[in-house]
Amino acid sequence: MIPAWFKHNTPLQAQIRDAERRVLQREALVRLGKIKLLENLRHQITSIPNLALAGGIGFISGELSKCPKRQLSSSAVNVPNTEKTPFRNAITLILMARTFYTSFPVTWLIKRFKQSEISARKPD
């Protein structure tokens, strides 16, 4: 069968309409195929046997890729890590601020200060 757009005896407008109709049909078929493919893929990925297989493969590859632990000398085991890094300094500062805030009731002082300001402004 010869397509309508190939026939020379049909008017140009009819050929254009036919081509547009075929493009729209093709887009609809592609959209439908995409939906079916995604549903099938989602079903296969979330099926219990496939999830169990993936978990097993991940566990086995994790076990096989473990590096052997180094043996530390007895003198290295007893030496604490006293190196100060910027990260450790920041953590120490944050913990000190938290300790200070919890031990020293800053909110109580602010509230008390505001109350004293209010009472100072009131005319007796």
Side-chain angles (χ1 to χ4, degrees):
M1 181 172 160
I2 300 173
W5 58 269
F6 192 72
K7 296 177 185 176
H8 294 291
N9 57 358
T10 58
L12 183 60
Q13 286 292 58
Q15 292 177 9
I16 291 173
R17 275 193 305 265
D18 186 48
E20 288 174 346
R21 183 185 52 78
R22 283 185 289 111
V23 166
L24 291 174
Q25 285 177 344
R26 179 69 181 155
E27 285 177 354
L29 285 174
V30 168
R31 221 176 292 122
L32 184 66
K34 180 182 101 174
I35 291 170
K36 288 291 240 182
L37 178 67
L38 289 176
E39 285 176 358
N40 189 15
L41 183 65
R42 186 178 299 123
H43 177 70
Q44 287 182 5
I45 286 176
T46 59
S47 69
I48 298 204
N50 287 343
L51 289 174
L53 179 66
I57 290 172
F59 175 77
I60 291 171
S61 64
E63 288 294 316
L64 292 177
S65 65
K66 281 187 178 175
C67 298
K69 295 187 178 185
R70 296 185 323 177
Q71 294 293 330
L72 297 175
S73 64
S74 61
S75 62
V77 172
N78 296 331
V79 176
N81 187 5
T82 57
E83 180 183 335
K84 290 287 187 180
T85 62
F87 178 71
R88 282 188 186 223
N89 289 338
I91 294 295
T92 304
L93 182 64
I94 290 169
L95 291 176
M96 284 174 45
R98 181 182 174 273
T99 304
F100 177 74
Y101 181 75
T102 56
S103 64
F104 189 67
V106 176
T107 55
W108 178 79
L109 287 175
I110 292 172
K111 188 175 176 182
R112 185 79 170 163
F113 179 71
K114 286 187 179 183
Q115 284 178 353
S116 65
E117 277 186 352
I118 292 171
S119 63
R121 289 183 189 169
K122 284 185 181 178
D124 288 284

